Amino acid sequence: MPLRVAIVDDEPVVCKRLSQALAKEGYAVEAFVSARSFLEAMIERPFDVVFSDMLLPDMNGLELLPRIKGLRSETEVIIVTGHGTISTAIEAMREGAFHYVTKPVNFTEIRTLARHAQEKIAMRMENTRLREALLGANGLSSIVGNSPAMQELFALIRKVAPVDCNVLVQGDSGTGKALVALALHHLSPRRNQPFVTFNCGGFTEELISSELFGYEKGAFTGAVNAKVGLLEAATGGTVFLDEVGEMPLAMQVRLLHVLQERRILRVGGTRPIDLSIRIIAATNRELKTEVEKGNFREDLFFRLNVVSTTLPRLADRREDIPLLVRHFIEKYRLAFRKQVYDLDDQALAALVGYSFPGNVRELENIIERAVALADGETISLADLPEDIRRLEFDTLEGDGLPTLAEMERRYVIKILEKTGYNKKLAAEVLGMPRTTLWRKLKEYGVE
């Protein structure tokens, strides 16, 4: 993909000649005669390199530079200046500009600067790639699962992450919505920019407003200093709005305006602030139903729901439980510095048979507790919570309840195992004659 280059100069002739010179080098060039029109295009689709005149009709280069860096810090800015403003251009370099060039422009110098900027960008991308390879940070490493449902999810994340569109993640509590949002960010071109999270549930409208939009000094009683909101702080990166279904209706209107206009006003402010952010929203509610009930704005739903995915419950992907268990054992073995490496078959069977209403989060809590309590290297049934141990005897498999005869069979076999197949002792524990135990074992096909 060719490097995207912007020319920002109020002289159309300069724009045309620079565009032609750089286009011949294979760059994708666009020209703008005002800072405002350039910034609008930059928000829609960021440029890699910007040649900006120091003196523009609506903004000077020193003012434009931080706006560009705020939208995308990796963009390299080259200031084009006259002899009278060289000192200002040098000041711009101190503020983060890549270089400066004086008018009248020398096309050889322009092409050389563009090539050097391209080399710097390529080197930075290579460093990022090597760092991620070294760390194994492919963005999906924190999500564990081999089931078909998870393979479908991984494929969707890989496909959608590079596309700069809003994503709606739905699923029950504990299914991993935040991990999916983080993976989308890490695999996107915004991965080196901020990832800001905000939980929309349980807060007042005023608190959400000040946290998301920030405020100016003196905007209200107690606003002794200006505050940058989370949306502004995330510029260039990704904003993860968790529990968006619980956002008050008044705030939904303001969020809709942000998505439409790509700019905000701080509380008490008058100057619009441009934003370049990607929104990933999550909810454990069925948002379409909430729209029908009038609890969620339909237009905001469509804005957020460009791409959506619903995460599977853990009970719907039980084949992933052994993998998850070993993942969490390793995590807490290292965290607690304990020599715990595995869990026995009985404990695993109990976990696989459990319904997990709290999904993966609940499983992680169970394993964290088990690793903390385990005395040996292997987690046993005794290390699991009491309700799981009890369910080990009566966990339901399939759709129906076990019969009394089946429950009796399981219990008898369980006691037999516990007593090391000592039938005399097992009969005493069961409170039945040995002949009765013998008859039942024959009936069960157990020798």
Side-chain angles (χ1 to χ4, degrees), residues 95 129 153 193 237 262 267 269 359 392 408:
E95 298 299 321
R129 187 188 67 77
L153 176 65
Q193 301 301 318
R262 293 289 170 181
V267 176
N359 291 292
E392 199 268 345
E408 182 188 72

Side-chain angles (χ1 to χ4, degrees), residues 140-205:
L140 294 173
S141 57
S142 58
I143 306 176
V144 178
N146 277 331
S147 60
M150 296 307 289
Q151 293 305 313
E152 285 183 19
L153 176 65
F154 294 154
L156 180 71
I157 291 172
R158 291 191 188 96
K159 183 181 292 186
V160 171
V163 183
D164 204 27
C165 64
N166 298 331
V167 179
L168 177 62
V169 184
Q170 300 185 97
D172 291 351
S173 295
T175 49
K177 296 185 288 295
L179 291 179
V180 170
L182 195 56
L184 286 166
H185 173 72
H186 281 321
L187 293 174
S188 78
R190 298 176 181 270
R191 57 183 170 277
N192 293 322
Q193 301 301 318
F195 177 79
V196 175
T197 67
F198 182 73
N199 191 314
C200 305
F203 295 109
T204 63
E205 181 182 327

Side-chain angles (χ1 to χ4, degrees), residues 362-433:
E362 182 179 10
L363 173 60
E364 180 173 2
N365 291 342
I366 289 170
I367 298 301
E368 180 182 5
R369 173 186 183 277
V371 171
L373 296 178
D375 292 321
E377 295 185 353
T378 303
I379 295 171
S380 68
L381 187 64
D383 299 316
L384 300 184
E386 183 179 353
D387 53 341
I388 302 238
R389 297 202 305 270
R390 191 169 60 248
L391 282 171
E392 199 268 345
F393 287 95
D394 57 10
T395 294
L396 311 182
E397 297 195 7
D399 296 326
L401 290 166
T403 62
L404 183 59
E406 174 61 19
M407 290 293 292
E408 182 188 72
R409 187 188 72 82
R410 293 183 190 178
Y411 187 67
V412 168
I413 293 175
K414 182 64 64 181
I415 295 300
L416 197 61
E417 291 172 348
K418 292 286 187 184
T419 57
Y421 288 86
N422 184 326
K423 294 175 183 174
K424 180 182 177 184
L425 180 58
E428 289 177 2
V429 173
L430 290 166
M432 64 174 61

Side-chain angles (χ1 to χ4, degrees), residues 213 254-264 275:
F213 296 92
R254 295 191 64 182
L255 179 60
L256 178 65
H257 287 163
V258 170
L259 295 177
Q260 290 174 332
E261 305 296 331
R262 293 289 170 181
R263 60 179 56 176
I264 59 167
L275 294 179

Side-chain angles (χ1 to χ4, degrees), residues 122-141:
M123 185 180 297
R124 183 168 55 230
M125 291 174 65
E126 179 64 10
N127 287 340
T128 300
R129 187 188 67 77
L130 291 173
R131 185 171 63 249
E132 290 181 348
L134 187 65
L135 297 173
N138 64 3
L140 294 173
S141 57

